[in-house]
Amino acid sequence: GILQDMLKKGIRSVHCYCVDNILVKVPDPLFIGCCLERKSDCGAKVVSKAFPTEAVGVICECNGQWKVVEYSEISSETAHLTTDDGKLQFSQGNICNHYFTTQFLQKIIEQKEKELIHHVAKKKIPTIDAAGEKVVPEKINGIKMEKFVFDVFKFSDSFTVLEVARNEEFSPLKNGPGAEKCSPKVCVTDLSDLHKKWIEMLGFVCKQGWAM
């Protein structure tokens, strides 16, 4: 399989990321180097949540094990908890940007895969009507049982969490054209703003109204 091929080629580290994030850095030497320096077998990038009920999972330590609690699995009361200085207690938003050693992945496959749980995901699932025609639902009509890659975090012996700047590394495409958030237009704007920032850091000046 793929893992055996990587092991055969001497590949020791893997950087995984979510395909809908236009600002993802592949591969990120800072992230990979951080995990290597800390001798971590598993790592994750996070961003600080924009607001308590933001639709991102939260990375936290639970009973001595690292895990991601999905936004659909955390209560509003827990999501709004704050520390003494007023910051969100559970603020580390998971952006599906992970590091694994190939030895760790081999351990998961050989020893731990059967321990991974299923999560309930309520979805709009296309169906076929009595006439054999495809029906695309406008509302949630079904449940999918899913396994998440980040559920392997709890099996890590040395886990690293790296917080990064949202405006530099996280702009997900979740919605269609015209949506207020996470739309193609928003993603292009975020990427354009980042490139503009890089250009200006080098001493150049972008004309007013400049866009990528």
Side-chain angles (χ1 to χ4, degrees):
I2 295 174
L3 181 59
Q4 292 304 317
D5 182 61
M6 288 192 288
L7 292 169
K8 183 178 180 181
K9 293 177 179 177
I11 296 173
R12 294 176 292 175
S13 301
V14 179
H15 182 198
C16 304
Y17 60 95
C18 196
V19 296
D20 63 5
N21 180 11
I22 197 171
L23 298 185
V24 69
K25 295 180 179 178
V26 186
D28 181 8
L30 177 63
F31 180 43
I32 295 174
C34 178
C35 292
L36 289 173
E37 184 177 52
R38 294 169 58 90
K39 294 181 172 57
S40 296
D41 55 12
C42 185
K45 284 187 179 184
V46 298
V47 296
S48 182
K49 290 178 66 175
F51 50 92
T53 56
E54 183 179 6
V56 292
V58 175
I59 293 183
C60 57
E61 192 175 12
C62 181
N63 298 324
Q65 295 180 326
W66 288 95
K67 64 181 297 183
V68 174
V69 180
E70 275 297 295
Y71 63 91
S72 58
E73 300 172 336
I74 188 171
S75 69
S76 177
E77 180 182 2
T78 301
H80 282 83
L81 290 176
T82 58
T83 58
D84 292 337
D85 57 359
K87 296 180 180 179
L88 287 178
Q89 184 170 337
F90 300 104
S91 63
Q92 305 299 305
N94 176 43
I95 60 173
C96 296
N97 196 320
H98 311 314
Y99 165 92
F100 305 108
T101 64
T102 47
Q103 287 186 339
F104 175 75
L105 294 177
Q106 186 175 33
K107 180 182 78 171
I108 298 300
I109 292 173
E110 295 178 352
Q111 304 174 23
K112 302 295 185 179
E113 198 277 333
K114 291 183 179 180
E115 297 181 35
L116 297 176
I117 64 174
H118 284 90
H119 295 263
V120 173
K122 298 178 181 180
K123 302 282 188 177
K124 298 176 183 178
I125 304 175
T127 59
I128 301 296
D129 64 16
E133 299 295 326
K134 181 178 179 180
V135 178
V136 180
E138 296 181 358
K139 299 180 179 179
I140 293 173
N141 68 330
I143 292 175
K144 287 185 177 181
M145 303 302 291
E146 300 178 339
K147 287 186 177 181
F148 297 148
V149 64
F150 44 74
D151 280 336
V152 303
F153 291 173
K154 64 181 180 181
F155 302 120
S156 173
D157 294 323
S158 178
F159 188 66
T160 287
V161 178
L162 179 66
E163 183 173 335
V164 296
R166 178 187 293 262
N167 64 348
E168 294 181 359
E169 300 208 30
F170 187 54
S171 180
L173 177 60
K174 298 289 187 181
N175 302 313
E180 183 179 349
K181 298 179 180 179
C182 303
S183 67
K185 182 178 180 180
V186 172
C187 288
V188 170
T189 298
D190 288 344
L191 183 62
S192 181
D193 289 344
L194 179 61
H195 288 181
K196 180 182 178 182
K197 177 181 176 181
W198 288 346
I199 292 171
E200 291 176 341
M201 286 174 61
L202 294 173
F204 295 93
V205 176
C206 295
K207 294 182 178 179
Q208 186 174 2
W210 178 87
M212 183 181 68

